[in-house]
């Protein structure tokens, strides 16, 4: 054990005895903290503890890399992400390194897709190490943390979020549901400890405590002080962490994994540990596992990866998404970026930056690094740091005054009634709050609280509140961008194919694209690609303003709102699924069609999409055969309406665009005809089968009947199915009557008599609107009954009392609204033919079904009491009857029963005069 910290141990023993009345648990904890620091400092392989996105860590890292100039840099990051780090120079930070898996093997299927992200910002120690290692000759960068596959092997999937929680903002959702790699995460897992630190530190949240009590004191400290303080903090949080076995197990396994990988690399490369640097979170730097150090044990066995297929890429990130994913306070990462710039200016430390870095400051020609300085003997810096009084940083009045003026200007732009008096109030209140919280200088968090108090009052007039305005003023939510060269092949292909639009597609925001395809036919491939992107990407990425895509139609003019730069993450993740948009779309359609719970309607939807977007007869035939197999196994009729609509559209398309129908759709019609004939009696009797589903089945049978019979089906199947149907529900009874009329088993006169009998029966009147609903749905299989439906609805409005009619009106309206495209035009056209066209004629109008004129007596009596001409010359009448196909026998020639002659006697008398000459 090193003697560098003996003085500190003695002081802590005395403190433990004074505060705890003798040795005990407190002494063990305090001395254990010193032991952890001593152990980490004495390790031959230098350990550099960091905190994620900490400006103090970034400055200390840049300074140490120039002093030590290590030849091997070990970094706590998923080892399988290493090949992707060179692409960071083609990106505008912040971005996130992502591992993505859609083909999941070895994990529960509901976890898919698997995603792991590791965000990187300019103000992070990790980026400084990556930039140094990649741009310095002879330096090797080795990632030593568990792979993305092991992240899911070791972690149990927890519920994502509260289902009732409001959706995250767009910028905060850039990482989606990905699991974040917490590089250098430092936050106490002991709730009581965190509450104690926040209460006594007089701060509102953890990010503010870290900024006040760690970032500022360590911002310009020397290397040894920085390391020992970070070791101490990591050990403190580790020893006071609760006994969550899952967290402890994962943390210790990660430490064993990393030290095992480092010893393997040292053994194979022959590198000297003195020339190496190990960068990890301070929590892991104070590890107590047996595998710790280059001299640790080698008993840890790394499990093999699963058979899941992992893809790797870079996705855009943002300060808000980092804060949301790692539980940081809003605006803390932006404040850290501002603090990083101030630290560089104050300490004169030169940062490392990847050559050609997009969006970064212009880099001068890199000068050669000075000779490395030898490491001094480790000394106790903790005692002095812990005993040193807080450094009073004098108030920078110019900076605070500039903040106050700027926030008032921003508030006025966003609708607040702010003035110069508010700027003075914010300035004075910031100083007052800092004094109340024992601070010599207001922090950005003090200024934020003062601005909210003095400006916001109790009303937010615009979309942004004052707290958000302060975050924007302090640096804003910087959003990264992945450069063209770092995009996967699919994303680059999309940009190349949309180049004729002459738009800057990588820019964030919405851009309008106008496609005049009639005058510029070369834009039609762009239209095809945009429709596929609309199908595959989230809403808003590609949104059509004018134009539509239908089967059998070609585009003429289209207008689009494109936001591919805003949805760059979604476009990049498409690249993980294939090398072209067409391949990804085909895979998704095939995956949807072969899902275990798929229905025939959904498979037909995939067939329609394959025809509409890909124009692929091969894929449509394959999926159509799949739809045939699925339909044959279905035992319910829930999807019948959707099946009918899609089959009709596909049939209309093939009949107009193909010389012959595809084989699969002929087989589908034959199978569907037999299938629905078999299920029809049960559907009529089943209470769970709605009238819409039964009507769709009848619509399939009657509309596809001619094609099915030409393909070899037997009409007797349908007739037997109708005969065997015995519904009880009134709407289904009406539907059955309509089917019988369509088959010719029931005449219209008989159907009219049945409806009249229903209206005449007081016991049936309450159910009569349900019969009408059945007749309205009957327009699907029997559109020829439109005139009868108009008649039945008119009679109902004329004769039903309001207590029965009014409750039925919402049902009628919703039925016509849901089926408006098919049913309403039929009813409107028929009603327009029957009802008068002018309002003035409505008073004298008599419905045709009620127009029964009284018989008019013949003005002239015929001799013989009959039609002598027909009786005298029967052969002529027989010949005419034969031509018309009438074979009924001759009846009586008496006028009795001849309604036509009785109704129009003048015509008969005039004809008789012409024929007899008298």
């Amino acid at each position: 054990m090193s003697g560098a910290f003996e003085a500190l141990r003695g002081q802590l023993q005395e403190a433990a005895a004074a505060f705890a009345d003798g040795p005990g648990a407190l002494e063990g904890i305090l001395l254990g903290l010193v032991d952890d620091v001593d152990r980490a400092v004495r390790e031959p392989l230098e350990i550099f503890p960091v905190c994620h996105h900490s400006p103090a860590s970034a400055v200390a890292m840049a300074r140490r890399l120039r002093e030590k100039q290590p030849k091997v840099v070990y970094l706590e990051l998923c080892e399988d992400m290493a090949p992707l780090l060179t692409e960071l120079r083609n990106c505008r930070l912040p971005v996130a390194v992502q591992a993505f898996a859609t083909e999941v093997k070895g994990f529960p299927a509901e976890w898919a897709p698997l995603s792991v992200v590791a965000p990187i910002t300019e103000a992070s120690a990790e980026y400084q190490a990556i930039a140094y290692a990649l741009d310095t000759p002879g330096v090797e960068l080795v990632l030593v943390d568990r792979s993305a596959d092991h992240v899911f092997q070791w972690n149990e999937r927890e519920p994502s979020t509260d289902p009732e929680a409001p959706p995250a903002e767009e910028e905060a959702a850039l990482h989606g549901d990905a699991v974040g790699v917490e590089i250098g995460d430092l936050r106490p897992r002991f709730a009581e400890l965190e509450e104690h630190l926040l209460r006594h530190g007089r701060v509102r949240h953890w990010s503010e405590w870290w900024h006040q009590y760690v970032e500022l004191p360590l911002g310009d400290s020397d290397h040894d002080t920085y390391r020992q303080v970070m070791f101490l903090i990591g050990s403190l949080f580790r020893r006071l962490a609760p006994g969550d076995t899952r967290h402890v197990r994962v943390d210790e396994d990660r430490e064993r994994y990393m030290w095992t990988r480092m010893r393997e690399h040292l053994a194979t490369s022959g590198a000297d540990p003195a020339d190496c640097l190990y960068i990890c979170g301070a929590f892991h730097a104070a590890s107590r596992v047996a595998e710790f150090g280059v001299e640790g044990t080698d008993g840890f066995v790394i499990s093999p990866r699963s058979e899941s297929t992992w893809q790797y890429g870079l996705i855009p990130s943002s300060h808000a998404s980092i804060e949301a994913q790692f539980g940081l306070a809003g605006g803390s990462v932006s404040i850290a970026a501002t603090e990083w710039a101030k630290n560089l200016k104050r300490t004169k430390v030169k940062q490392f930056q990847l050559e050609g870095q997009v969006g970064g400051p212009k880099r001068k020609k890199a000068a050669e690094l000075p000779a490395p300085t030898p490491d001094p003997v480790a000394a106790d810096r903790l005692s002095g740091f812990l005993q040193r009084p807080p450094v009073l940083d004098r108030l920078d009045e110019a900076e605070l005054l500039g903040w106050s003026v700027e926030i008032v200007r921003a508030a006025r732009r966003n609708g607040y009634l702010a003035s110069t008096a508010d700027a003075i109030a914010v300035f004075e209140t910031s100083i007052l709050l800092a004094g109340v919280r024992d601070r010599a200088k207001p922090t950005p968090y003090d200024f934020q609280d003062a601005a909210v108090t003095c400006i916001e009052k109790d009303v937010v007039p615009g979309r942004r509140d004052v707290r958000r305005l302060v975050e924007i003023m302090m640096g804003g939510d910087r959003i990264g961008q992945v450069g063209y060269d770092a995009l996967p092949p699919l994303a680059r292909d999309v940009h190349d194919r949309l180049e004729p639009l002459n738009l800057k597609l990588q820019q964030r925001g919405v851009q309008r694209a106008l496609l005049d395809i009639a005058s510029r036919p070369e834009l039609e491939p762009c239209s095809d690609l945009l429709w596929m992107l609309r199908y595959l990407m989230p809403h808003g990425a590609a949104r059509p303003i004018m134009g539509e895509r239908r089967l059998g139609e070609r585009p003429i003019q289209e207008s689009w709102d494109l936001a591919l730069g805003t949805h760059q993450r979604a476009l990049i993740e498409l690249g993980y699924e294939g090398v072209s948009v067409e391949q990804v779309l085909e895979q998704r359609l095939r995956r949807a069609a072969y899902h275990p719970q798929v229905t025939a309607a959904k498979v037909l939807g995939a067939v329609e999409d394959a025809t509409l977007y890909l124009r692929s007869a091969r894929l449509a035939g394959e999926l159509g055969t799949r739809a045939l197999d699925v339909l044959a196994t279905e035992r319910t009729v829930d999807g019948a309406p959707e099946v009918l609509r899609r089959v009709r559209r596909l049939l209309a398309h093939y009949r107009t665009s193909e010389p012959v129908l595809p084989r699969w759709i002929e087989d589908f019609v034959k199978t569907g005809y037999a299938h629905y004939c078999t299920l029809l009696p049960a559907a009529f009797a089943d209470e769970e089968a709605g009238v819409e589903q039964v009507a769709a089945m009848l619509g399939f049978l009657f509309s596809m009947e001619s094609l099915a019979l030409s393909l070899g089906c037997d009409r007797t199947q349908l007739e037997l199915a109708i005969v065997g149907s015995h519904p009880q529900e009134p709407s289904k009874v009406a539907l059955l009557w309509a089917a019988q009329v369509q088959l010719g088993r029931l005449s219209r006169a008989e159907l009219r008599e049945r409806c009249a009998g229903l209206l005449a029966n007081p016991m049936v009147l309450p159910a009569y609107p349900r019969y009408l609903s059945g007749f309205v749905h009957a327009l699907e299989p029997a559109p020829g009954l439109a005139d009868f439906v108009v008649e039945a609805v008119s009679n109902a409005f004329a004769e039903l009392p309001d207590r029965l009619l009014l409750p039925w009106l919402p049902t009628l309206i919703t039925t016509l609204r849901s089926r408006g495209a098919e049913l309403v035009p039929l009813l409107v056209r028929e009603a327009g033919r029957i009802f008068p066209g002018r309002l003035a004629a409505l008073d004298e109008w008599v419905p045709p079904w009620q127009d029964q004129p009284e018989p008019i007596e013949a003005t002239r009596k015929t001799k013989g009491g009959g039609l002598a001409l027909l009786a005298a010359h029967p052969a002529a009448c027989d010949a005419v009857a034969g031509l018309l196909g009438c074979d009924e026998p001759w009846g009586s020639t008496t006028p009795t029963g001849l309604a036509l002659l009785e109704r129009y006697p003048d015509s008969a008398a005039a004809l008789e005069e012409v024929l007899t000459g008298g």
Side-chain angles (χ1 to χ4, degrees), residues 185-221:
D185 179 52
L186 274 184
R187 184 164 188 165
R189 295 176 184 170
F190 193 19
E192 287 79 2
L193 172 61
E194 183 172 349
E195 181 182 355
H196 175 84
L197 293 175
L198 298 183
R199 183 174 67 253
H200 289 274
R202 299 180 182 180
V203 294
R204 290 175 292 114
H205 45 71
W206 174 250
S207 299
E208 185 177 359
W209 184 93
W210 183 267
H211 175 84
Q212 178 67 25
Y213 295 100
V214 179
E215 284 294 332
L216 296 181
L218 292 181
D220 53 359
S221 62

Side-chain angles (χ1 to χ4, degrees), residues 91-413:
C91 305
R92 179 181 291 109
L93 301 180
V95 297
V97 187
Q98 182 183 39
F100 192 88
T102 54
E103 299 179 7
V104 177
K105 296 181 181 179
F107 302 105
E110 59 270 16
W111 287 14
L114 306 180
S115 180
V116 177
V117 297
I120 298 175
T121 63
E122 291 182 0
S124 63
E126 298 81 12
Y127 176 73
Q128 293 299 306
I130 292 171
Y132 164 79
L134 296 183
D135 283 353
T136 304
V139 177
E140 184 179 4
L141 177 64
V142 182
L143 306 187
V144 294
D145 200 1
R146 55 184 175 166
S147 67
D149 197 272
H150 287 91
V151 170
F152 290 94
Q153 287 187 31
W154 294 358
N155 283 355
E156 299 176 4
R157 175 63 64 94
E158 300 177 353
S160 57
T161 55
D162 182 2
E164 298 181 358
E169 295 183 0
E170 181 182 349
E171 289 79 8
L174 287 178
H175 295 174
D177 296 329
V179 175
V181 178
E182 301 177 1
I183 305 175
D185 179 52
L186 274 184
R187 184 164 188 165
R189 295 176 184 170
F190 193 19
E192 287 79 2
L193 172 61
E194 183 172 349
E195 181 182 355
H196 175 84
L197 293 175
L198 298 183
R199 183 174 67 253
H200 289 274
R202 299 180 182 180
V203 294
R204 290 175 292 114
H205 45 71
W206 174 250
S207 299
E208 185 177 359
W209 184 93
W210 183 267
H211 175 84
Q212 178 67 25
Y213 295 100
V214 179
E215 284 294 332
L216 296 181
L218 292 181
D220 53 359
S221 62
D222 60 88
H223 174 62
D224 289 337
T225 302
Y226 169 83
R227 288 184 69 210
Q228 294 175 23
V229 171
M230 293 294 284
F231 286 145
L232 180 67
I233 295 175
S235 177
L236 175 66
F237 292 163
R238 190 183 191 94
R239 288 182 176 271
L240 295 183
D244 187 337
T245 57
R246 185 173 67 88
H247 276 108
V248 173
R249 174 181 55 81
V250 172
D251 288 334
E252 292 182 348
D253 283 348
R254 288 182 65 186
E255 291 153 8
R256 296 185 180 99
Y257 193 107
M258 289 187 286
W259 280 109
T260 300
R261 289 302 194 205
M262 284 187 283
R263 283 194 297 271
E264 291 176 354
H265 180 268
L266 290 172
T268 56
S269 65
D272 185 356
D275 295 331
C276 304
L277 186 67
Y278 170 37
I279 304 169
C280 67
F283 190 87
H284 298 294
S287 174
R288 301 190 303 273
V289 296
E291 290 80 3
F292 179 88
V294 293
E295 301 297 334
T297 61
D298 290 323
F300 183 69
V301 178
I302 298 176
S303 60
R305 301 181 188 179
S306 69
E307 297 181 0
S308 300
T309 302
W310 289 91
Q311 304 286 338
Y312 301 90
L314 295 167
I315 62 173
S317 183
S318 68
H319 293 172
S321 61
I322 296 172
E323 293 159 359
Q325 188 159 14
F326 298 106
L328 304 176
S332 59
V333 178
S334 298
I335 293 175
T338 304
E339 193 69 23
W340 155 254
K342 292 169 61 176
N343 285 350
L344 289 178
K345 185 180 296 184
R346 183 178 68 253
T347 61
K348 307 300 182 182
V349 173
K350 295 182 180 180
Q351 63 171 320
F352 288 95
Q353 181 183 349
L354 286 171
E355 185 177 357
Q357 180 72 63
V358 178
K362 292 184 178 180
R363 173 181 171 180
K364 300 179 180 179
K365 186 176 180 180
E368 295 184 2
L369 293 174
T373 58
D375 295 336
V377 179
D380 177 14
R381 299 299 180 91
L382 275 179
S383 300
F385 182 85
L386 297 176
Q387 295 175 0
R388 185 182 65 187
V391 178
L392 298 179
D393 191 2
R394 68 180 183 85
L395 173 63
D396 189 345
E397 293 187 1
E399 180 185 54
L400 183 58
L401 185 60
W403 288 355
S404 302
V405 173
E406 184 62 30
I407 190 58
V408 168
R409 184 182 293 113
R412 290 176 64 87
R413 286 197 300 265

Side-chain angles (χ1 to χ4, degrees), residues 509-588:
V510 179
Q511 302 180 68
R512 179 63 58 87
L514 303 176
L515 284 74
D516 187 2
I517 302 174
S519 60
R520 296 184 60 190
E522 67 273 11
L523 294 181
E524 186 172 353
C526 296
S527 171
D528 297 338
L529 178 59
L530 290 176
W531 283 107
M532 286 186 283
L533 291 176
R534 177 180 179 268
Y535 183 90
L536 294 171
M537 295 187 66
H539 176 74
R543 186 167 62 93
I545 304 301
M546 182 184 68
E548 58 183 350
R549 178 60 62 98
R550 291 184 178 180
L551 288 174
E553 295 183 1
R554 308 296 295 185
I556 300 176
Q557 283 186 337
E558 292 179 352
S559 175
W560 290 80
D561 275 352
L562 302 181
L564 297 183
T566 304
H567 295 83
Q568 192 180 48
R569 167 180 166 265
L571 181 62
I572 290 172
E573 290 185 350
L574 282 183
Y576 300 152
E577 301 183 46
V579 296
S580 67
V581 175
E582 288 80 2
Q583 180 187 6
V584 174
L585 180 57
E586 180 174 341
Q587 290 176 355
R588 289 198 182 181

Side-chain angles (χ1 to χ4, degrees), residues 801-816:
D802 290 346
R803 62 182 178 83
L804 298 178
L805 188 62
L806 293 180
W808 173 67
L809 288 180
T811 303
L812 175 64
I813 294 173
T814 54
T815 300
L816 294 179

Side-chain angles (χ1 to χ4, degrees), residues 457-505:
K457 311 296 191 298
D458 57 348
V459 177
V460 179
R463 185 168 61 92
R464 298 186 178 101
D465 57 12
V466 174
R467 189 174 303 279
R468 178 62 176 155
L469 293 178
V470 173
E471 294 174 6
I472 296 174
M473 190 192 72
M474 290 293 176
D477 183 19
R478 186 175 303 173
I479 301 173
Q481 184 183 67
V482 180
Y484 175 86
D485 294 331
L487 292 173
L490 180 143
R492 292 200 300 269
D493 180 61
V494 168
H495 285 279
D496 293 342
R497 292 165 64 179
L498 294 180
E499 189 175 357
L501 300 180
N502 296 322
L503 297 177
K504 298 179 180 179
L505 298 177

Side-chain angles (χ1 to χ4, degrees), residues 403-404 407-408 411 416 422 425-427 429-430 433 444-457 465-467 469-470 473:
W403 288 355
S404 302
I407 190 58
V408 168
Y416 290 90
D422 292 307
V426 173
F427 180 86
T429 305
S430 300
L433 285 177
Y445 299 98
D446 296 326
F447 172 76
Q448 188 178 58
D449 292 341
V452 172
T453 303
C454 299
I455 297 177
E456 188 167 300
K457 311 296 191 298
D465 57 12
V466 174
R467 189 174 303 279
L469 293 178
V470 173
M473 190 192 72

Side-chain angles (χ1 to χ4, degrees), residues 589-599 602-603 626 630:
L589 292 176
R590 188 175 283 111
R591 190 183 308 127
Y594 285 89
H595 191 275
Q597 305 298 326
V598 75
T599 62
K602 291 183 178 179
V603 182
R626 170 64 177 169
V630 173

